[in-house]
mmCIF file of all heavy atoms in Angstrom:
data_model
loop_
_atom_site.group_PDB
_atom_site.id
_atom_site.type_symbol
_atom_site.label_atom_id
_atom_site.label_comp_id
_atom_site.label_asym_id
_atom_site.label_seq_id
_atom_site.Cartn_x
_atom_site.Cartn_y
_atom_site.Cartn_z
ATOM 1 N N GLU A 204 -7.973 -9.181 4.959
ATOM 2 C CA GLU A 204 -7.960 -10.640 5.145
ATOM 3 C C GLU A 204 -6.983 -11.037 6.244
ATOM 4 O O GLU A 204 -7.282 -11.892 7.087
ATOM 5 C CB GLU A 204 -7.560 -11.330 3.834
ATOM 6 C CG GLU A 204 -8.642 -11.321 2.769
ATOM 7 C CD GLU A 204 -8.128 -11.930 1.459
ATOM 8 O OE1 GLU A 204 -7.083 -12.600 1.489
ATOM 9 O OE2 GLU A 204 -8.785 -11.710 0.432
ATOM 10 N N GLN A 205 -5.794 -10.419 6.236
ATOM 11 C CA GLN A 205 -4.791 -10.755 7.248
ATOM 12 C C GLN A 205 -5.279 -10.374 8.647
ATOM 13 O O GLN A 205 -5.105 -11.120 9.609
ATOM 14 C CB GLN A 205 -3.478 -10.039 6.934
ATOM 15 C CG GLN A 205 -2.783 -10.557 5.681
ATOM 16 C CD GLN A 205 -1.640 -9.671 5.230
ATOM 17 O OE1 GLN A 205 -1.493 -8.522 5.670
ATOM 18 N NE2 GLN A 205 -0.815 -10.189 4.334
ATOM 19 N N LEU A 206 -5.891 -9.196 8.759
ATOM 20 C CA LEU A 206 -6.383 -8.749 10.060
ATOM 21 C C LEU A 206 -7.547 -9.618 10.537
ATOM 22 O O LEU A 206 -7.668 -9.917 11.727
ATOM 23 C CB LEU A 206 -6.818 -7.281 9.973
ATOM 24 C CG LEU A 206 -5.675 -6.274 9.797
ATOM 25 C CD1 LEU A 206 -6.230 -4.903 9.429
ATOM 26 C CD2 LEU A 206 -4.844 -6.183 11.073
ATOM 27 N N THR A 207 -8.402 -10.024 9.582
ATOM 28 C CA THR A 207 -9.518 -10.909 9.935
ATOM 29 C C THR A 207 -8.987 -12.239 10.456
ATOM 30 O O THR A 207 -9.478 -12.773 11.458
ATOM 31 C CB THR A 207 -10.418 -11.151 8.710
ATOM 32 O OG1 THR A 207 -10.907 -9.889 8.235
ATOM 33 C CG2 THR A 207 -11.599 -12.048 9.050
ATOM 34 N N GLU A 208 -7.963 -12.758 9.779
ATOM 35 C CA GLU A 208 -7.373 -14.028 10.212
ATOM 36 C C GLU A 208 -6.720 -13.878 11.579
ATOM 37 O O GLU A 208 -6.845 -14.760 12.439
ATOM 38 C CB GLU A 208 -6.346 -14.499 9.182
ATOM 39 C CG GLU A 208 -5.762 -15.873 9.525
ATOM 40 C CD GLU A 208 -4.784 -16.366 8.480
ATOM 41 O OE1 GLU A 208 -4.459 -15.583 7.569
ATOM 42 O OE2 GLU A 208 -4.342 -17.520 8.597
ATOM 43 N N LYS A 209 -6.027 -12.754 11.804
ATOM 44 C CA LYS A 209 -5.384 -12.530 13.100
ATOM 45 C C LYS A 209 -6.419 -12.492 14.213
ATOM 46 O O LYS A 209 -6.247 -13.115 15.270
ATOM 47 C CB LYS A 209 -4.603 -11.205 13.073
ATOM 48 C CG LYS A 209 -3.893 -10.904 14.384
ATOM 49 C CD LYS A 209 -3.106 -9.594 14.301
ATOM 50 C CE LYS A 209 -2.404 -9.304 15.621
ATOM 51 N NZ LYS A 209 -1.640 -8.037 15.567
ATOM 52 N N HIS A 210 -7.521 -11.784 13.968
ATOM 53 C CA HIS A 210 -8.579 -11.706 14.972
ATOM 54 C C HIS A 210 -9.178 -13.079 15.230
ATOM 55 O O HIS A 210 -9.413 -13.468 16.383
ATOM 56 C CB HIS A 210 -9.662 -10.730 14.506
ATOM 57 C CG HIS A 210 -10.803 -10.611 15.457
ATOM 58 N ND1 HIS A 210 -11.976 -11.334 15.315
ATOM 59 C CD2 HIS A 210 -10.942 -9.887 16.594
ATOM 60 C CE1 HIS A 210 -12.782 -11.048 16.304
ATOM 61 N NE2 HIS A 210 -12.190 -10.167 17.100
ATOM 62 N N SER A 211 -9.389 -13.838 14.150
ATOM 63 C CA SER A 211 -9.964 -15.176 14.291
ATOM 64 C C SER A 211 -9.022 -16.100 15.062
ATOM 65 O O SER A 211 -9.454 -16.860 15.938
ATOM 66 C CB SER A 211 -10.256 -15.741 12.897
ATOM 67 O OG SER A 211 -10.745 -17.055 12.995
ATOM 68 N N LEU A 212 -7.725 -16.037 14.756
ATOM 69 C CA LEU A 212 -6.753 -16.889 15.441
ATOM 70 C C LEU A 212 -6.666 -16.552 16.924
ATOM 71 O O LEU A 212 -6.590 -17.445 17.779
ATOM 72 C CB LEU A 212 -5.375 -16.745 14.781
ATOM 73 C CG LEU A 212 -5.232 -17.376 13.388
ATOM 74 C CD1 LEU A 212 -3.889 -17.018 12.775
ATOM 75 C CD2 LEU A 212 -5.386 -18.895 13.471
ATOM 76 N N LEU A 213 -6.668 -15.249 17.245
ATOM 77 C CA LEU A 213 -6.624 -14.852 18.653
ATOM 78 C C LEU A 213 -7.861 -15.335 19.401
ATOM 79 O O LEU A 213 -7.780 -15.808 20.538
ATOM 80 C CB LEU A 213 -6.518 -13.320 18.763
ATOM 81 C CG LEU A 213 -5.134 -12.717 18.539
ATOM 82 C CD1 LEU A 213 -5.247 -11.197 18.407
ATOM 83 C CD2 LEU A 213 -4.203 -13.078 19.696
ATOM 84 N N THR A 214 -9.018 -15.230 18.729
ATOM 85 C CA THR A 214 -10.269 -15.672 19.357
ATOM 86 C C THR A 214 -10.244 -17.182 19.610
ATOM 87 O O THR A 214 -10.636 -17.647 20.691
ATOM 88 C CB THR A 214 -11.463 -15.306 18.459
ATOM 89 O OG1 THR A 214 -11.451 -13.893 18.228
ATOM 90 C CG2 THR A 214 -12.780 -15.702 19.095
ATOM 91 N N GLU A 215 -9.764 -17.945 18.614
ATOM 92 C CA GLU A 215 -9.675 -19.399 18.778
ATOM 93 C C GLU A 215 -8.646 -19.771 19.827
ATOM 94 O O GLU A 215 -8.838 -20.713 20.607
ATOM 95 C CB GLU A 215 -9.328 -20.057 17.433
ATOM 96 C CG GLU A 215 -10.457 -20.027 16.432
ATOM 97 C CD GLU A 215 -11.728 -20.681 16.969
ATOM 98 O OE1 GLU A 215 -11.641 -21.787 17.505
ATOM 99 O OE2 GLU A 215 -12.797 -20.043 16.873
ATOM 100 N N TYR A 216 -7.537 -19.017 19.861
ATOM 101 C CA TYR A 216 -6.504 -19.264 20.880
ATOM 102 C C TYR A 216 -7.084 -19.088 22.278
ATOM 103 O O TYR A 216 -6.882 -19.912 23.171
ATOM 104 C CB TYR A 216 -5.334 -18.295 20.667
ATOM 105 C CG TYR A 216 -4.359 -18.240 21.823
ATOM 106 C CD1 TYR A 216 -3.508 -19.313 22.089
ATOM 107 C CD2 TYR A 216 -4.297 -17.125 22.659
ATOM 108 C CE1 TYR A 216 -2.624 -19.263 23.159
ATOM 109 C CE2 TYR A 216 -3.414 -17.074 23.722
ATOM 110 C CZ TYR A 216 -2.582 -18.141 23.969
ATOM 111 O OH TYR A 216 -1.719 -18.097 25.038
ATOM 112 N N LYS A 217 -7.858 -18.018 22.456
ATOM 113 C CA LYS A 217 -8.446 -17.787 23.775
ATOM 114 C C LYS A 217 -9.396 -18.928 24.150
ATOM 115 O O LYS A 217 -9.403 -19.399 25.279
ATOM 116 C CB LYS A 217 -9.189 -16.449 23.815
ATOM 117 C CG LYS A 217 -9.655 -16.130 25.229
ATOM 118 C CD LYS A 217 -10.667 -15.020 25.316
ATOM 119 C CE LYS A 217 -11.238 -14.977 26.732
ATOM 120 N NZ LYS A 217 -12.393 -14.095 26.847
ATOM 121 N N LYS A 218 -10.204 -19.363 23.188
ATOM 122 C CA LYS A 218 -11.134 -20.467 23.478
ATOM 123 C C LYS A 218 -10.372 -21.701 23.948
ATOM 124 O O LYS A 218 -10.773 -22.373 24.909
ATOM 125 C CB LYS A 218 -11.953 -20.817 22.228
ATOM 126 C CG LYS A 218 -13.073 -19.858 21.923
ATOM 127 C CD LYS A 218 -13.854 -20.336 20.700
ATOM 128 C CE LYS A 218 -14.951 -19.357 20.326
ATOM 129 N NZ LYS A 218 -15.644 -19.774 19.088
ATOM 130 N N GLY A 219 -9.264 -21.993 23.253
ATOM 131 C CA GLY A 219 -8.473 -23.164 23.617
ATOM 132 C C GLY A 219 -7.863 -23.032 24.997
ATOM 133 O O GLY A 219 -7.883 -23.974 25.798
#
Side-chain angles (χ1 to χ4, degrees):
E204 286 176 16
Q205 291 169 346
L206 290 168
T207 302
E208 184 178 7
K209 181 179 180 180
H210 179 264
S211 177
L212 289 173
L213 281 169
T214 303
E215 289 303 312
Y216 167 71
K217 187 194 170 190
K218 283 182 183 176

